[in-house]
Amino acid sequence: MAPLTKKKTSKPQKPIAKKNPKNSKVKTPKDDSTSESEQEEILQQQHENDVVDDDSGSDSDLSSDGDDPLVDDFLQGSDDDEEKASGLDSGSGSDLDSDSDDEDIETKSRAIDEEREREKEDADAEMQLNIKEESDEFRLPTSEELEEEALRPPDIANLKRRIEEIVRILSNFKTLRQEGSARKDYIEQLKKDISSYYGYNEFLIGALVEMFPVVELIQLIEAFEKPRPMCLRTNTLKTRRRDLADVLINRGVNLDPLSKWSKVGLVVYDSQVPIGATPEYMAGFYMLQSASSFLPVMALAPQEKERVVDMAAAPGGKTTYIAALMKNTGIIFANEIKAPRLKSLTANLHRLGVSNTVVCNYDGKELPKVLGQNTVDRVLLDAPCSGTGVISKDESVKTSKDLEDIQKCAQLQKELILAAIDMVDANSKSGGYIVYSTCSIMVAENEAVIDYALKKRDVKLVPCGLDFGRPGFTKFRELRFHPSLEKTRRFYPHVHNMDGFFVAKLKKMSSSKPSSKLSEPSEKEEEETELVEEEEKRINDLKENDNETSESKSKKEKRRNPPSKLSNGIKENGKESSDSKYKVEKKRKFPSKPSNDVKENSKESSKREPQKKKKKSQHKEEISKARLNVFSCFDISFWDHSNAVEKNISSYLINIHALSMPYFENLRFL
């Protein structure tokens, strides 16, 4: 081992001198400034040095091994190590530079993000400030500005913005109102803007403003501008809802169950086929029907084997639903006053397989005379109305309806509901119910009609059996209704996503009708009674004045001509008997002043009687007694009917003639 160490120590002396240039030659090519020719020269010199080393050799194998490049690498490292080292040196510098660059980018990006956030915050603050300034600066338009707007085409954007501002101010009127402006001014301007923006007439928008708060009013009007979803009612006489839904889905219809409150309804979102022309529709598996028209039939809840009347049946949606609930048992009278609509009614009845229905064409007010009173178990009255709840289907209602139309509809509805109540049998074991419904939201057509029926007939309100819907009004402005009207139900498009509707259910307690004293009269009746009372007061005043004058005259006459003493009112001389007759007439006092005709007749009769031929003295006493009896009878009849003398004079003349007949018979006998 010792020689090895010596040889190792001796070897590095030779190659160190040789390897230094070699190392320099190896390092030189890494300089970028050297050209290709210089690199070739360096390679040649290196090759020559290698040849010299091989020729010189060494005495031992170890010396020869020293010339091996691996030995050089072992002692001083290889070129790759140098390159790696240089690469590490350069890489460490580049890493430092890249780290510094990354840090700069991060700081710059952070600064940019902060600037953006600041700009966004400033923009939001500026927007809020602008909104506050605009809201604070909002003022009602003056009359001059309104006149200028009337001359120009309507500015839709300005109207919309003004409606929103007025609604916002009215929702918090105390803090946001303009000084010197009353709530009435804002409401009047809101009415005008809504009328011009949405196209309503003045009457209808005024009625809606009275019924709803301004915020809810805008929601209602916006809901009227959108169509209601299309609904189907499954005909349970032929199929089930699940089977029908599967078939329609396979045909490309996108649908869902209507809601929890309905077991037969389906709502359709879109369809690749026409819903009203599918084979299932033609076969009578379903009926196109709005969701709101389900409600009256559900409230009626007809039972099997009952007698039911649908007073306004066309086009047959409710009638067929009643037949399905009754399972084609019992009997249904489907009445429709308009003959052209009977075609659609009968067509739907045949298509859906209804076999227990009788179709008739009568005026609903005459049905009690046709079907008889107290003959049916239940009546459904879907009364004709103004249609203010279905504006989304018929936009002409916005401008075509006025106060007169509402009053006409209300009068017709009152007559129809009384006819419906009269048809129902109060003693029915399973029935005795009347359901009243309208597609209107007007109070005059709904609560006022039910309150009228409660006063005119012995009925009471019962729960409708519907778990949703708003209760009816018990008071509206100056009107006060029966407290039980809370049991009625109202439905609105902006709340329940269906047409505006009203439903009330009545139970008939007895067939008796309340007296007119107990029932409060209607407006017309009140006016008539007031006029009659005024006329009666005037008549009474005149009668009192006449009585006073007649009494004063009779007193004066008594003072002038005091009555003579009579023995039983009769004397033997005819002159004295005639004088006593006139004195008896003067003594009698009538309770009221008779008419001129009666006076004249009495005077003429009194004048004619003294002119008659004188009879024998033995019969004068009987004649005078008969005369006194006639006048006494006349006085009694006149007293009994004194209040109506001026109204019917002829009847009293007939009575007088009848009472005087015995007198003339006595004369004939004598």
Side-chain angles (χ1 to χ4, degrees):
M1 294 301 289
L4 291 170
T5 57
K6 286 181 181 179
K7 287 179 181 178
K8 286 178 181 179
T9 55
S10 62
K11 182 184 177 184
Q13 292 177 358
K14 291 180 181 179
I16 287 170
K18 294 178 182 179
K19 293 286 180 81
N20 287 330
K22 183 178 179 180
N23 294 332
S24 63
K25 291 175 184 177
V26 173
K27 292 179 181 179
T28 52
K30 293 181 179 180
D31 190 1
D32 296 334
S33 64
T34 59
S35 63
E36 294 179 357
S37 61
E38 290 177 353
Q39 290 179 359
E40 291 177 355
E41 290 177 358
I42 291 168
L43 292 172
Q44 290 177 1
Q45 290 177 1
Q46 185 177 1
H47 181 67
E48 290 175 357
N49 292 329
D50 293 335
V51 172
V52 172
D53 292 336
D54 293 335
D55 292 338
S56 61
S58 61
D59 294 336
S60 62
D61 296 333
L62 295 171
S63 62
S64 63
D65 296 334
D67 295 332
D68 191 4
L70 296 174
V71 177
D72 295 337
D73 295 336
F74 178 77
L75 294 174
Q76 296 181 356
S78 64
D79 295 335
D80 295 333
D81 294 337
E82 292 177 358
E83 289 175 0
K84 289 179 181 179
S86 62
L88 290 171
D89 295 337
S90 63
S92 62
S94 64
D95 291 339
L96 293 172
D97 295 337
S98 63
D99 292 339
S100 62
D101 293 338
D102 292 338
E103 291 177 356
D104 294 339
I105 292 170
E106 288 178 359
T107 54
K108 290 179 180 179
S109 64
R110 288 175 183 173
I112 292 170
D113 292 338
E114 290 177 356
E115 289 179 359
R116 288 179 180 176
E117 290 179 357
R118 290 174 184 173
E119 290 177 357
K120 188 176 180 180
E121 291 177 356
D122 295 338
D124 292 338
E126 186 176 358
M127 185 181 294
Q128 295 294 332
L129 182 62
N130 292 333
I131 291 171
K132 290 181 180 179
E133 289 178 355
E134 288 179 0
S135 63
D136 293 339
E137 292 177 358
F138 177 77
R139 296 290 184 272
L140 289 172
T142 61
S143 59
E144 297 177 355
E145 293 175 353
L146 292 175
E147 290 177 358
E148 293 179 358
E149 287 183 3
L151 297 175
R152 298 193 303 268
D155 188 356
I156 303 299
N158 186 27
L159 287 173
K160 182 68 174 176
R161 187 186 68 83
R162 191 159 62 194
I163 290 170
E164 293 175 352
E165 289 293 332
I166 293 174
V167 170
R168 185 182 62 82
I169 291 171
L170 290 173
S171 61
N172 191 7
F173 187 71
K174 291 183 179 180
T175 57
L176 300 177
R177 72 185 184 93
Q178 177 183 350
E179 294 183 359
S181 298
R183 182 184 290 272
K184 184 179 179 181
D185 299 334
Y186 285 95
I187 291 175
E188 291 296 328
Q189 186 61 43
L190 181 64
K191 289 180 183 179
K192 294 178 182 177
D193 293 341
I194 291 175
S195 299
S196 57
Y197 186 81
Y198 293 100
Y200 286 82
N201 61 10
E202 185 177 356
F203 162 74
L204 189 57
I205 201 64
L208 294 176
V209 167
E210 292 177 353
M211 291 179 62
F212 299 97
V214 289
V215 177
E216 189 176 1
L217 173 65
I218 300 300
Q219 295 175 357
L220 176 68
I221 292 174
E222 289 289 344
F224 279 143
E225 299 299 315
K226 301 175 184 177
R228 304 275 72 76
M230 183 185 297
C231 295
L232 311 177
R233 181 183 58 80
T234 307
N235 182 18
T236 55
L237 295 174
K238 293 188 175 184
T239 186
R240 296 184 302 174
R241 183 171 69 172
R242 182 183 300 175
D243 299 336
L244 177 63
D246 293 338
V247 173
L248 293 178
I249 288 170
N250 293 331
R251 292 191 181 277
V253 181
N254 185 12
L255 52 80
D256 278 327
L258 178 59
S259 184
K260 294 180 180 179
W261 53 267
S262 177
K263 296 181 180 180
V264 295
L266 292 170
V267 58
V268 178
Y269 301 110
D270 55 13
S271 176
Q272 297 178 2
V273 295
I275 296 296
T278 61
E280 289 76 23
Y281 178 82
M282 298 299 181
F285 286 2
Y286 64 88
M287 178 81 178
L288 287 171
Q289 195 170 353
S290 62
S292 58
S293 62
F294 290 24
L295 305 174
V297 181
M298 295 175 64
L300 185 66
Q303 304 298 316
E304 296 181 17
K305 299 180 181 179
E306 285 186 341
R307 292 167 60 89
V308 181
V309 177
D310 189 356
M311 296 183 68
K318 300 179 183 66
T319 305
T320 54
Y321 193 8
I322 293 170
L325 293 176
M326 295 174 64
K327 298 179 182 179
N328 260 343
T329 61
I331 185 168
I332 302 172
F333 296 97
N335 180 69
E336 176 57 41
I337 189 173
K338 295 181 180 179
R341 302 188 70 185
L342 295 175
K343 294 181 180 179
S344 61
L345 174 59
T346 54
N348 286 321
L349 290 173
H350 287 298
R351 183 174 61 84
L352 273 74
V354 176
S355 60
N356 65 340
T357 301
V358 177
V359 176
C360 52
N361 180 20
Y362 290 103
D363 185 358
K365 295 177 287 187
E366 304 297 328
L367 278 179
K369 299 178 182 178
V370 178
L371 301 178
Q373 295 185 358
N374 307 321
T375 56
V376 299
D377 298 310
R378 298 171 194 262
V379 174
L380 173 61
L381 174 58
D382 187 21
C385 61
S386 60
T388 53
V390 290
I391 294 176
S392 58
K393 295 180 181 179
D394 185 9
E395 293 188 354
S396 64
V397 178
K398 294 180 179 180
T399 56
S400 62
K401 302 300 178 183
D402 55 6
L403 180 59
E404 186 178 357
D405 295 329
I406 302 298
Q407 290 176 349
K408 288 180 180 179
C409 290
Q411 182 63 29
L412 176 61
Q413 290 157 359
K414 290 177 181 178
E415 295 176 358
L416 289 174
I417 196 171
L418 293 182
I421 294 170
D422 292 338
M423 283 190 290
V424 174
D425 184 9
N427 299 321
S428 175
K429 295 180 180 179
S430 61
Y433 295 99
I434 306 99
V435 170
Y436 174 83
S437 63
T438 63
C439 56
S440 172
I441 59 176
M442 296 287 105
V443 176
E445 298 181 77
N446 298 324
E447 284 85 355
V449 175
I450 298 298
D451 189 67
Y452 175 82
L454 292 174
K455 295 173 182 176
K456 292 294 182 180
R457 296 292 186 271
D458 189 9
V459 293
K460 70 173 183 178
L461 278 168
V462 295
C464 297
L466 303 173
D467 298 333
F468 64 106
R470 291 188 178 179
F473 293 104
T474 56
K475 56 183 180 180
F476 178 73
R477 297 180 65 82
E478 71 277 2
L479 302 176
R480 296 295 179 269
F481 303 121
H482 197 275
S484 62
L485 279 165
E486 291 182 350
K487 296 178 182 179
T488 61
R489 287 291 174 266
R490 280 178 163 266
F491 302 92
Y492 299 114
H494 66 288
V495 179
H496 308 100
N497 197 20
M498 63 177 64
D499 295 327
F501 221 75
F502 175 82
V503 180
K505 188 174 184 180
L506 296 166
K507 169 69 174 175
K508 188 174 182 180
M509 304 306 296
S510 66
S511 301
S512 62
K513 299 178 182 179
S515 60
S516 59
K517 294 180 180 179
L518 297 176
S519 61
E520 295 181 4
S522 60
E523 294 180 357
K524 293 183 178 180
E525 292 176 352
E526 289 178 355
E527 293 177 358
E528 291 176 358
T529 52
E530 289 177 358
L531 294 173
V532 171
E533 289 176 357
E534 291 178 358
E535 291 178 358
E536 288 180 353
K537 288 180 181 179
R538 293 174 184 174
I539 292 167
N540 292 328
D541 293 338
L542 292 173
K543 287 180 179 180
E544 289 177 358
N545 295 330
D546 294 337
N547 291 331
E548 290 177 357
T549 54
S550 62
E551 289 177 357
S552 61
K553 289 180 179 179
S554 62
K555 289 179 181 179
K556 290 179 181 179
E557 289 177 355
K558 287 180 181 179
R559 290 175 183 175
R560 293 177 182 175
N561 300 319
S564 60
K565 295 181 181 181
L566 298 174
S567 59
N568 296 328
I570 299 172
K571 292 284 183 179
E572 291 182 356
N573 294 327
K575 295 181 180 179
E576 291 179 356
S577 62
S578 62
D579 294 334
S580 64
K581 180 191 69 174
Y582 294 123
K583 291 178 181 179
V584 171
E585 289 179 0
K586 290 180 181 179
K587 287 182 180 180
R588 297 188 179 278
K589 295 179 181 179
F590 298 101
S592 61
K593 186 178 180 180
S595 60
N596 295 326
D597 296 336
V598 176
K599 283 184 175 181
E600 290 175 359
N601 291 329
S602 61
K603 289 179 180 179
E604 289 176 0
S605 62
S606 62
K607 289 179 180 179
R608 289 174 185 174
E609 287 174 357
Q611 294 176 1
K612 290 180 181 180
K613 296 180 179 180
K614 295 180 181 180
K615 303 294 181 182
K616 297 179 180 180
S617 60
Q618 57 182 357
H619 301 296
K620 288 183 179 179
E621 294 180 358
E622 295 178 359
I623 294 169
S624 61
K625 288 180 180 180
R627 289 177 178 175
L628 290 173
N629 290 332
V630 170
F631 284 109
S632 63
C633 293
F634 173 75
D635 293 341
I636 292 169
S637 64
F638 190 80
W639 175 266
D640 292 337
H641 304 279
S642 60
N643 293 328
V645 169
E646 295 181 2
K647 295 181 181 179
N648 196 355
I649 300 299
S650 60
S651 63
Y652 292 100
L653 294 175
I654 293 169
N655 292 333
I656 293 168
H657 177 71
L659 292 170
S660 61
M661 286 301 294
Y663 166 69
F664 292 109
E665 289 178 356
N666 291 329
L667 292 178
R668 193 181 304 113
F669 177 75
L670 295 174

